[in-house]
Amino acid sequence: HVLDKKGSEHCRHILKAAEEIAELVENLNTNVSTKETPLSIAPTEPARILRTLGEEYSEDLRTRGISWVVPDDIPMIKADRTSLVRAMRNLIDNALKYGGNDLSAIEIGYEDDGDAHVFAVSDNGAGLEGEEVEKIFDPFERKGRSSEAEGSGLGLAIVKEIAEHHGGKAWATPKQEKGTAFYLSISKNL
């Protein structure tokens, strides 16, 4: 109430910048802890994790009219549960942030490729193009049209780090029609 309109606007900008810095520091800490914290490999139920995440995102999915599809037949695997939750949450967040206004579906997939468990998070949103697909898992790399979406550019780098710690990898492919499929593999030989 003491500040004029210009002073109030400056305060809003300062507060927004402080929030963005706090988020960046939190993501940097997560990235470092992902690299340095030893994995606690144990039997893990991906289906239960995905049900919980579906409930966590249910309000946003319902409000935006986005369908949520998860297979019923995902087997128990050996993995670090906390890391798997973090990776799946980051992939889902990514779809919601960058899918755009046309995003109407997020589909989780699972495949056993013999040596690894492969999870997919596919969307029918805005999608990625050319070089974006190759660079998107690099730290601080964000989709070219991401100016409206909040984030630090570390979410997919964290997914990649988690995959590598699990003897796997992370990658993305543009879908035929529109959208992107993001993949995370976890070795069966942990």
Side-chain angles (χ1 to χ4, degrees), residues 140-153:
F140 304 110
E141 191 65 41
R142 297 181 70 203
K143 185 175 174 181
R145 301 178 299 275
S146 64
S147 59
E148 319 84 47
E150 293 183 15
S152 64

Side-chain angles (χ1 to χ4, degrees), residues 13-153:
H13 289 295
I14 291 168
L15 286 172
K16 184 170 175 32
E19 289 170 0
E20 289 172 356
I21 290 169
E23 180 184 0
L24 178 60
V25 169
E26 182 179 329
N27 285 333
L28 285 169
N29 286 335
T30 300
N31 193 24
V32 169
S33 73
T34 299
K35 290 178 181 186
E36 295 182 359
T37 304
L39 297 178
S40 176
I41 303 299
T44 303
E45 288 184 77
R48 178 180 279 175
I49 290 170
L50 292 167
R51 275 193 304 276
T52 301
L53 290 172
E55 291 168 9
E56 182 180 314
Y57 289 102
S58 65
E59 182 66 26
D60 194 17
L61 294 167
R62 186 183 56 73
T63 302
R64 293 175 60 185
I66 300 169
S67 69
W68 171 256
V69 181
V70 179
D72 295 326
D73 57 348
I74 301 175
M76 179 90 76
I77 67 170
K78 287 187 178 179
D80 180 276
R81 184 185 187 289
T82 302
S83 294
L84 186 58
V85 169
R86 182 176 291 147
M88 296 307 289
R89 183 178 283 128
N90 285 358
L91 291 172
I92 296 163
D93 278 342
N94 191 71
L96 290 168
K97 281 182 189 177
Y98 301 110
N101 294 332
D102 293 337
L103 177 67
S104 64
I106 296 175
E107 184 173 348
I108 310 297
Y110 170 81
E111 182 181 320
D112 180 336
D113 83 352
D115 295 326
H117 302 283
V118 181
F119 295 91
V121 176
S122 301
D123 65 66
N124 66 346
L128 294 172
E129 300 169 2
E131 289 181 19
E132 289 178 320
V133 174
E134 296 171 25
K135 294 180 177 181
I136 200 72
F137 288 94
D138 293 343
F140 304 110
E141 191 65 41
R142 297 181 70 203
K143 185 175 174 181
R145 301 178 299 275
S146 64
S147 59
E148 319 84 47
E150 293 183 15
S152 64

Side-chain angles (χ1 to χ4, degrees), residues 143-174:
K143 185 175 174 181
R145 301 178 299 275
S146 64
S147 59
E148 319 84 47
E150 293 183 15
S152 64
L154 286 172
L156 292 177
I158 290 169
V159 170
K160 180 181 176 185
E161 198 69 42
I162 289 169
E164 289 172 355
H165 272 100
H166 281 82
K169 61 183 182 173
W171 69 99
T173 58

